[in-house]
Structure formats: structure tokens, C-alpha cells
Amino acid sequence: GDSVTQMEGPVTLSEEAFLTINCTYTATGYPSLFWYVQYPGEGLQLLLKATKADDKGSNKGFEATYRKETTSFHLEKGSVQVSDSAVYFCALRISSSNTGKLIFGQGTTLQVKP
Amino acid sequence: SAVISQKPSRDICQRGTSLTIQCQVDSQVTMMFWYRQQPGQSLTLIATANQGSEATYESGFVIDKFPISRPNLTFSTLTVSNMSPEDSSIYLCSARQGISNTEAFFGQGTRLTVV
């Protein structure tokens, strides 16, 4: 079935370091791909999305490119800040689903130290 | 973007009791969903709340345990029935405004602890 796999955390970085959180997926058809972020004590917020192959989603300095050939959607940021500390979820939406339900990865905790 | 409010934000309940969680959206939405996020784990879809008809449940979730209502296009409730400590989780309401290619919005969640 459809699934999302993320790199295990926690990921601990120093401020201004480069971030990569790996995400790969298995899906039938052509899913849309998303990154959501969950700050401590808050709900999920959409960080960025891509709806077709080679699309690049970007927001707040974060980027991810939809790679159909490697079935990946890795999240990157060139210089992280302490305020980026959160849990990051990769998700897909099945194109064949008329409800648009999301399938989430297990989440990756990012800790940024000053 | 839609704003989703959930009530209560947290609760501590006795085993064997039931809790109803409310989800209010500030605009009409096409789809509403309920997710569970168990401690340290990812989100799992419980069901899709259908306006005016029975909810559509995912594998492993049943109506008797998680009855859902959706009386209109802006409101839904999830009840966690006959609770046990294994039901301790964060329950999240989600909504989507359009039919295709629109993102889903999430409430802040209800943190439930069953003792």
C-alpha cells in the first residue's frame, strides 16, 4: 500500500548548520507531497508542498523537490535557527482518492542548539 | 486558509468513560477528517467525517468506539467511547476546502490522557 518513510530522529544541529531530512514514498499513481511542521505544543502547519514531478516547494527558507525517479521529497534548509526546532512530517495525498486523505511519515524531531 | 478550533484542548479522563471532542471551522469546508497521534508516533487517520451521512472509517477503527458526527459543513465531533489507557493520544481534526490540489488544515489537537 501507499506509505511514507522518513529518516529517524532526533536530528540535532547547531544554529546555521545545513539541514536535510530524508523522505521517500511508495504510492500508486501520482501523489501530491507535503511537509508539515509541528512546533512544541501546537498543531500541524503546512510548511510546503509539491503536486507533480520536479516541482519544488519552498517556504521560510525550507525547500523540497518532488523526485519521481527516486520517489523522494527530501526537506532542506541552508541555515537553521533555534526557532526551527520542531517535529517535521512528510506526507502524501493519494491521487486516486476522492477524499484527499493524507498518509504521514513517522515524523522527524529537529533540535537546533544555539 | 481555514482556521480550525478544537475543544477541549486537553483532558484527563477515567477509564470506561467517554469524551466528545468538538471541531469548528471558520468557513465551509468540503472534507473533514479525524486523526490520532499516539505518543511519539505519526498521525493515523481514524475516519473521514461525511456531512449528513455516516463517517467512513479506516481499517482498525470502528464506529462503536469512535462515533463521529458532522451535522453541517463547518462542524464535527469525535467521541472516544469506553476509554482505556491505550486511547491516550492527541486527536486532531483536519479540514480541506476544495476537491483537488488544496492543502489540509489542522486544529491544535486534543491531548487526551486516560487514567
Side-chain angles (χ1 to χ4, degrees):
Chain A
D2 300 312
S3 65
V4 177
T5 302
Q6 291 178 234
M7 64 186 288
E8 289 198 21
V11 173
T12 303
L13 296 173
S14 297
E15 208 165 21
E16 299 184 2
F18 184 86
L19 168 71
T20 299
I21 300 178
N22 291 337
C23 171
T24 57
Y25 67 90
T26 302
T28 54
Y30 303 97
S32 296
L33 300 174
F34 305 84
W35 276 100
Y36 281 84
V37 58
Q38 186 176 36
Y39 296 104
E42 299 185 15
L44 271 72
Q45 302 173 27
L46 178 66
L47 182 59
L48 52 85
K49 66 177 181 180
T51 58
K52 62 183 187 297
D54 299 325
D55 269 3
K56 177 186 282 188
S58 61
N59 186 25
K60 299 181 181 179
F62 290 89
E63 293 183 342
T65 301
Y66 188 144
R67 301 286 188 199
K68 183 182 174 184
E69 63 276 13
T70 55
T71 61
S72 65
F73 192 55
H74 304 322
L75 182 68
E76 296 181 337
K77 186 175 185 182
S79 176
V80 294
Q81 306 299 313
V82 173
S83 57
D84 293 325
S85 298
V87 182
Y88 292 81
F89 292 94
C90 185
L92 68 83
R93 186 172 71 221
I94 308 165
S95 59
S96 59
S97 167
N98 61 0
T99 64
K101 67 181 183 182
L102 293 167
I103 295 174
F104 286 86
Q106 65 268 43
T108 302
T109 299
L110 170 65
Q111 299 172 342
V112 181
K113 297 187 174 180
Chain B
S1 64
V3 175
I4 300 177
S5 302
Q6 272 186 246
K7 289 193 300 186
S9 59
R10 60 178 61 228
D11 207 342
I12 301 173
C13 300
Q14 297 290 322
R15 67 177 67 199
T17 62
S18 298
L19 176 72
T20 295
I21 303 168
Q22 298 181 359
C23 177
Q24 179 72 56
V25 189
D26 69 346
S27 58
Q28 293 186 347
V29 292
T30 308
M31 311 297 301
M32 293 184 76
F33 308 89
W34 287 97
Y35 288 84
R36 181 174 73 182
Q37 185 180 17
Q38 293 180 300
Q41 298 189 27
S42 187
L43 284 77
T44 303
L45 181 64
I46 298 171
T48 302
N50 300 310
Q51 193 267 325
S53 64
E54 193 171 286
T56 305
Y57 289 84
E58 297 297 305
S59 176
F61 297 97
V62 295
I63 188 171
D64 290 345
K65 177 65 176 177
F66 297 102
I68 288 171
S69 77
R70 190 180 172 193
N72 56 50
L73 293 175
T74 64
F75 185 78
S76 178
T77 66
L78 168 74
T79 299
V80 186
S81 302
N82 188 24
M83 289 183 284
S84 67
E86 292 71 35
D87 295 320
S88 298
S89 288
I90 298 173
Y91 292 87
L92 292 131
C93 175
S94 175
R96 194 160 64 85
Q97 288 179 304
I99 296 295
S100 62
N101 280 351
T102 57
E103 69 251 35
F105 302 94
F106 286 81
Q108 291 191 311
T110 297
R111 184 179 295 273
L112 170 62
T113 302
V114 183
V115 297

